[in-house]
Amino acid sequence: MKKCSVLLIMVMCCLASMAEAEYFKYKDSKQPIGMRIKDLMKRMTLEEKIGQMTQIDKKVASNEVINKYLIGSVLSGGGSVPGKHASAKTWVDMVNDYQKGALSTRLGIPLIYGIDAVHGHNNVYKATIFPHNVGLGVTRDPALVKKIGAATALEVRATGIQYAFAPCIAVCRDPRWGRCFESYSEDPKIVKLMTEIIPGLQGDIPAGSRKGVPFVGGQDKIAACAKHYLGDGGTHLGTNEGNTIIDAKGFFSIHMPAYYDAVIKGVATIMTSYSSWNGVKMHANRYLVTDFLKNRLKFKGFVISDWQGIDRITTPEHANYTYSIVAGMNTGIDMFMVPYNYTEFIDGLTDLVKNKFISMSRVDDAVKRILRVKFTMGLFEHPLADYSMTKYLGSQEHRNLAREAVRKTLVLLKNGKSAKKPLLPLPKKASKILVAGSHADNLGYQCGGWTIEWQGLSGDITDGTTILSAVKKAVDPKTQVVYNENPSGDFVKSSKFDYAIVVVGEHPYAETFGDSMNLTIPEPGPSTIKNVCGSVKCVVVLISGRPVVVQPYVATIDALVAAWLPGTEGQGVTDALFGDYGFTGKLARTWFKSVDQLPMNVGDAHYDPLYPFGFGLTTKPTKSL
């Protein structure tokens, strides 16, 4: 009897070790990706498949939640951070902890962590903040944008994250839209040019790659996300999440070209838009997502919803969640950003599949696409981040690149009361100069929305150089720099300044909070312009996410510079103001006279702008002043 027991134990141990050593094809990096997907798919339960399709926010994520619900993806929404001023190491620790939760599941499928790195790694303290897209479009420089993509990828990897919800390739046709600063241009040709940021983020696709297959080239690159598909920048009156009313010819010729390029360049993911086309919500538009993007364009990556995007299929949102899940699934969405109510989504989708309201083939299509991206980017081989990349966060090399980008994004709209007497470049040697304006010494205002917090912030929010600090560094040591945020006219008149630099503009905003019907510069901006420029030679540096109303002030101003939202490197502004570099930027957006003209884009019959698309005065760099 004893012998039988011993034998039985030995057989069981033997079987256990054989099982342990069992070969899993999907874990073998030498196997073709198609074979690995097939092998893993046949092992997966419905529960495991639905887990892969679920993306939750860090605020509700934990090692245990990820393990229990088999979650496939976690994200940090705007401001969703491990702690205020968290270091790169703290981020890596957090992401790795979540990853361990995924790796300890039955099949050990690694999760992909996403974040809105839309102008550099903008949620993270001490990261390099690059100019927003509205400025980058001015450069018409795809090589520069590609470098910014590569730098951003390194900084995102520095925090252990492998996926960015960027680039936004919207074509903003109306500056009243609160996301206009996320758009490179009103011109689809410029937006298409700027898709070169995708190979910057992901790496260059290998020669001979099949069209539409996602590509992420190694551990210093990240998965990108072209967004928001489709027509988000064309909504009526520029209303965020609104309705784009246009015929198919106009819709496809304006809003689609950049997506053709993104797919050809191997973009890993595409995000659906909150907006509608002629009344049909994009999150429920099967024709555009499945028939066109997946079948016609042969896009093989995955389609992700926007934040609670399926909830907004109904009005009021979340009114009929079962319908929203069915509509989103049948549209062709593969991964669902359900940041908080993930159990409701998982339970709802499970019931709908079991009761045959959603086909298993639709579930399988979604999961295959998600796994393809994960295998392509080497997540199975390198699921955990190490600390060797942390050195890239906010590196000097990246800050130098951002400074160069700032210089190239500036557009000189006016230079001198007459062309014969230009004010710029400013002399560095002067006895006394004035720096004024609400935006002169405010890094948060300089960076705009989507910086540290979703809506942006005021003040010293991260490491960087304000325009005031940059002026002090640029001028001769003997030049006295007086800073007065909002001086009175009498103060300016009595102080005998050689010249003044006035920095004013919009306050930070993002998305719907930025929708504006009047596009005016908030007070005290106009008062500061009046008080300063009425009394001394002045250059106004405008910080804004789009063209704003300036016509009433132009006559008073000697020189006017559109600096957009330059980010952390304020010295890029002074590089041009003081002539170390020339002004080269040309408007990538039409600058209107009055909001009554809007929408007004280049090529329109009623085109009568204050500054036309493509306008921009140039200056030559000066050796020394």
mmCIF file of all heavy atoms in Angstrom, residues 520-544:
data_model
loop_
_atom_site.group_PDB
_atom_site.id
_atom_site.type_symbol
_atom_site.label_atom_id
_atom_site.label_comp_id
_atom_site.label_asym_id
_atom_site.label_seq_id
_atom_site.Cartn_x
_atom_site.Cartn_y
_atom_site.Cartn_z
ATOM 1 N N THR A 520 -11.452 86.403 -26.935
ATOM 2 C CA THR A 520 -10.775 87.631 -26.483
ATOM 3 C C THR A 520 -9.643 87.291 -25.518
ATOM 4 O O THR A 520 -9.660 86.251 -24.863
ATOM 5 C CB THR A 520 -11.776 88.563 -25.768
ATOM 6 O OG1 THR A 520 -12.463 87.806 -24.782
ATOM 7 C CG2 THR A 520 -12.767 89.159 -26.736
ATOM 8 N N ILE A 521 -8.664 88.188 -25.446
ATOM 9 C CA ILE A 521 -7.587 88.056 -24.457
ATOM 10 C C ILE A 521 -8.183 88.501 -23.120
ATOM 11 O O ILE A 521 -8.722 89.610 -23.016
ATOM 12 C CB ILE A 521 -6.391 88.965 -24.816
ATOM 13 C CG1 ILE A 521 -5.836 88.608 -26.198
ATOM 14 C CG2 ILE A 521 -5.295 88.871 -23.759
ATOM 15 C CD1 ILE A 521 -4.879 89.647 -26.763
ATOM 16 N N PRO A 522 -8.103 87.660 -22.082
ATOM 17 C CA PRO A 522 -8.690 88.057 -20.800
ATOM 18 C C PRO A 522 -7.943 89.234 -20.166
ATOM 19 O O PRO A 522 -6.748 89.404 -20.378
ATOM 20 C CB PRO A 522 -8.571 86.791 -19.937
ATOM 21 C CG PRO A 522 -7.504 85.974 -20.566
ATOM 22 C CD PRO A 522 -7.489 86.312 -22.024
ATOM 23 N N GLU A 523 -8.693 90.041 -19.406
ATOM 24 C CA GLU A 523 -8.055 91.106 -18.616
ATOM 25 C C GLU A 523 -7.156 90.464 -17.554
ATOM 26 O O GLU A 523 -7.437 89.366 -17.101
ATOM 27 C CB GLU A 523 -9.136 91.973 -17.942
ATOM 28 C CG GLU A 523 -9.814 92.957 -18.878
ATOM 29 C CD GLU A 523 -8.906 94.089 -19.364
ATOM 30 O OE1 GLU A 523 -7.753 94.207 -18.882
ATOM 31 O OE2 GLU A 523 -9.342 94.832 -20.239
ATOM 32 N N PRO A 524 -6.069 91.109 -17.151
ATOM 33 C CA PRO A 524 -5.713 92.489 -17.515
ATOM 34 C C PRO A 524 -4.887 92.620 -18.794
ATOM 35 O O PRO A 524 -4.261 93.669 -18.998
ATOM 36 C CB PRO A 524 -4.913 92.939 -16.290
ATOM 37 C CG PRO A 524 -4.224 91.687 -15.825
ATOM 38 C CD PRO A 524 -5.164 90.559 -16.121
ATOM 39 N N GLY A 525 -4.865 91.591 -19.650
ATOM 40 C CA GLY A 525 -4.037 91.653 -20.865
ATOM 41 C C GLY A 525 -4.226 92.920 -21.686
ATOM 42 O O GLY A 525 -3.265 93.675 -21.920
ATOM 43 N N PRO A 526 -5.481 93.204 -22.118
ATOM 44 C CA PRO A 526 -5.690 94.419 -22.926
ATOM 45 C C PRO A 526 -5.289 95.706 -22.204
ATOM 46 O O PRO A 526 -4.722 96.616 -22.816
ATOM 47 C CB PRO A 526 -7.203 94.387 -23.203
ATOM 48 C CG PRO A 526 -7.554 92.929 -23.149
ATOM 49 C CD PRO A 526 -6.698 92.363 -22.058
ATOM 50 N N SER A 527 -5.550 95.785 -20.884
ATOM 51 C CA SER A 527 -5.158 96.989 -20.114
ATOM 52 C C SER A 527 -3.643 97.146 -20.092
ATOM 53 O O SER A 527 -3.117 98.257 -20.217
ATOM 54 C CB SER A 527 -5.639 96.894 -18.665
ATOM 55 O OG SER A 527 -7.003 96.637 -18.624
ATOM 56 N N THR A 528 -2.936 96.024 -19.915
ATOM 57 C CA THR A 528 -1.461 96.074 -19.883
ATOM 58 C C THR A 528 -0.919 96.560 -21.222
ATOM 59 O O THR A 528 -0.015 97.405 -21.274
ATOM 60 C CB THR A 528 -0.880 94.683 -19.531
ATOM 61 O OG1 THR A 528 -1.525 94.186 -18.365
ATOM 62 C CG2 THR A 528 0.606 94.744 -19.280
ATOM 63 N N ILE A 529 -1.489 96.042 -22.311
ATOM 64 C CA ILE A 529 -1.060 96.492 -23.654
ATOM 65 C C ILE A 529 -1.259 98.000 -23.777
ATOM 66 O O ILE A 529 -0.361 98.738 -24.206
ATOM 67 C CB ILE A 529 -1.840 95.748 -24.764
ATOM 68 C CG1 ILE A 529 -1.457 94.253 -24.802
ATOM 69 C CG2 ILE A 529 -1.596 96.390 -26.131
ATOM 70 C CD1 ILE A 529 -2.316 93.396 -25.723
ATOM 71 N N LYS A 530 -2.446 98.467 -23.381
ATOM 72 C CA LYS A 530 -2.783 99.891 -23.500
ATOM 73 C C LYS A 530 -1.842 100.751 -22.647
ATOM 74 O O LYS A 530 -1.282 101.753 -23.117
ATOM 75 C CB LYS A 530 -4.233 100.092 -23.056
ATOM 76 C CG LYS A 530 -4.777 101.490 -23.268
ATOM 77 C CD LYS A 530 -6.223 101.570 -22.783
ATOM 78 C CE LYS A 530 -6.624 103.032 -22.631
ATOM 79 N NZ LYS A 530 -7.822 103.174 -21.786
ATOM 80 N N ASN A 531 -1.656 100.346 -21.385
ATOM 81 C CA ASN A 531 -0.831 101.144 -20.461
ATOM 82 C C ASN A 531 0.634 101.204 -20.884
ATOM 83 O O ASN A 531 1.284 102.238 -20.764
ATOM 84 C CB ASN A 531 -0.908 100.582 -19.037
ATOM 85 C CG ASN A 531 -2.278 100.757 -18.422
ATOM 86 O OD1 ASN A 531 -3.096 101.510 -18.942
ATOM 87 N ND2 ASN A 531 -2.541 100.064 -17.329
ATOM 88 N N VAL A 532 1.146 100.075 -21.365
ATOM 89 C CA VAL A 532 2.578 100.013 -21.712
ATOM 90 C C VAL A 532 2.825 100.553 -23.112
ATOM 91 O O VAL A 532 3.654 101.443 -23.319
ATOM 92 C CB VAL A 532 3.118 98.568 -21.576
ATOM 93 C CG1 VAL A 532 4.577 98.496 -22.018
ATOM 94 C CG2 VAL A 532 2.963 98.068 -20.144
ATOM 95 N N CYS A 533 2.086 100.011 -24.080
ATOM 96 C CA CYS A 533 2.387 100.346 -25.485
ATOM 97 C C CYS A 533 1.974 101.776 -25.848
ATOM 98 O O CYS A 533 2.440 102.320 -26.845
ATOM 99 C CB CYS A 533 1.736 99.335 -26.417
ATOM 100 S SG CYS A 533 2.357 97.654 -26.127
ATOM 101 N N GLY A 534 1.110 102.373 -25.015
ATOM 102 C CA GLY A 534 0.755 103.781 -25.232
ATOM 103 C C GLY A 534 1.851 104.730 -24.784
ATOM 104 O O GLY A 534 1.807 105.923 -25.092
ATOM 105 N N SER A 535 2.847 104.194 -24.059
ATOM 106 C CA SER A 535 3.840 105.083 -23.445
ATOM 107 C C SER A 535 5.288 104.802 -23.833
ATOM 108 O O SER A 535 6.162 105.633 -23.595
ATOM 109 C CB SER A 535 3.739 104.976 -21.920
ATOM 110 O OG SER A 535 2.407 105.137 -21.500
ATOM 111 N N VAL A 536 5.573 103.634 -24.379
ATOM 112 C CA VAL A 536 6.956 103.278 -24.703
ATOM 113 C C VAL A 536 6.949 102.294 -25.871
ATOM 114 O O VAL A 536 5.948 101.612 -26.102
ATOM 115 C CB VAL A 536 7.664 102.664 -23.461
ATOM 116 C CG1 VAL A 536 7.052 101.329 -23.056
ATOM 117 C CG2 VAL A 536 9.168 102.505 -23.675
ATOM 118 N N LYS A 537 8.055 102.244 -26.609
ATOM 119 C CA LYS A 537 8.159 101.248 -27.696
ATOM 120 C C LYS A 537 7.976 99.854 -27.107
ATOM 121 O O LYS A 537 8.627 99.515 -26.105
ATOM 122 C CB LYS A 537 9.534 101.326 -28.364
ATOM 123 C CG LYS A 537 9.652 102.459 -29.370
ATOM 124 C CD LYS A 537 10.945 102.371 -30.159
ATOM 125 C CE LYS A 537 12.157 102.578 -29.249
ATOM 126 N NZ LYS A 537 13.415 102.661 -30.017
ATOM 127 N N CYS A 538 7.122 99.047 -27.713
ATOM 128 C CA CYS A 538 6.844 97.744 -27.087
ATOM 129 C C CYS A 538 6.700 96.628 -28.107
ATOM 130 O O CYS A 538 6.250 96.851 -29.229
ATOM 131 C CB CYS A 538 5.573 97.823 -26.251
ATOM 132 S SG CYS A 538 4.076 97.704 -27.232
ATOM 133 N N VAL A 539 7.094 95.426 -27.667
ATOM 134 C CA VAL A 539 6.784 94.204 -28.409
ATOM 135 C C VAL A 539 5.819 93.406 -27.541
ATOM 136 O O VAL A 539 6.054 93.218 -26.347
ATOM 137 C CB VAL A 539 8.057 93.387 -28.760
ATOM 138 C CG1 VAL A 539 8.918 93.096 -27.544
ATOM 139 C CG2 VAL A 539 7.667 92.060 -29.438
ATOM 140 N N VAL A 540 4.724 92.972 -28.138
ATOM 141 C CA VAL A 540 3.764 92.118 -27.429
ATOM 142 C C VAL A 540 4.007 90.678 -27.857
ATOM 143 O O VAL A 540 4.014 90.362 -29.055
ATOM 144 C CB VAL A 540 2.313 92.539 -27.717
ATOM 145 C CG1 VAL A 540 1.328 91.506 -27.165
ATOM 146 C CG2 VAL A 540 2.022 93.915 -27.110
ATOM 147 N N VAL A 541 4.253 89.818 -26.871
ATOM 148 C CA VAL A 541 4.397 88.377 -27.110
ATOM 149 C C VAL A 541 3.094 87.747 -26.651
ATOM 150 O O VAL A 541 2.716 87.846 -25.481
ATOM 151 C CB VAL A 541 5.596 87.795 -26.333
ATOM 152 C CG1 VAL A 541 5.679 86.286 -26.542
ATOM 153 C CG2 VAL A 541 6.892 88.476 -26.761
ATOM 154 N N LEU A 542 2.401 87.123 -27.595
ATOM 155 C CA LEU A 542 1.074 86.578 -27.320
ATOM 156 C C LEU A 542 1.150 85.084 -27.058
ATOM 157 O O LEU A 542 1.639 84.320 -27.898
ATOM 158 C CB LEU A 542 0.177 86.857 -28.535
ATOM 159 C CG LEU A 542 -1.324 86.705 -28.360
ATOM 160 C CD1 LEU A 542 -1.855 87.581 -27.229
ATOM 161 C CD2 LEU A 542 -2.015 87.076 -29.662
ATOM 162 N N ILE A 543 0.705 84.664 -25.876
ATOM 163 C CA ILE A 543 0.672 83.248 -25.503
ATOM 164 C C ILE A 543 -0.769 82.773 -25.664
ATOM 165 O O ILE A 543 -1.656 83.206 -24.908
ATOM 166 C CB ILE A 543 1.134 83.063 -24.029
ATOM 167 C CG1 ILE A 543 2.513 83.696 -23.787
ATOM 168 C CG2 ILE A 543 1.104 81.591 -23.635
ATOM 169 C CD1 ILE A 543 3.669 83.028 -24.484
ATOM 170 N N SER A 544 -1.015 81.912 -26.639
ATOM 171 C CA SER A 544 -2.394 81.469 -26.870
ATOM 172 C C SER A 544 -2.415 80.142 -27.620
ATOM 173 O O SER A 544 -1.449 79.788 -28.290
ATOM 174 C CB SER A 544 -3.176 82.528 -27.668
ATOM 175 O OG SER A 544 -2.707 82.574 -29.010
#
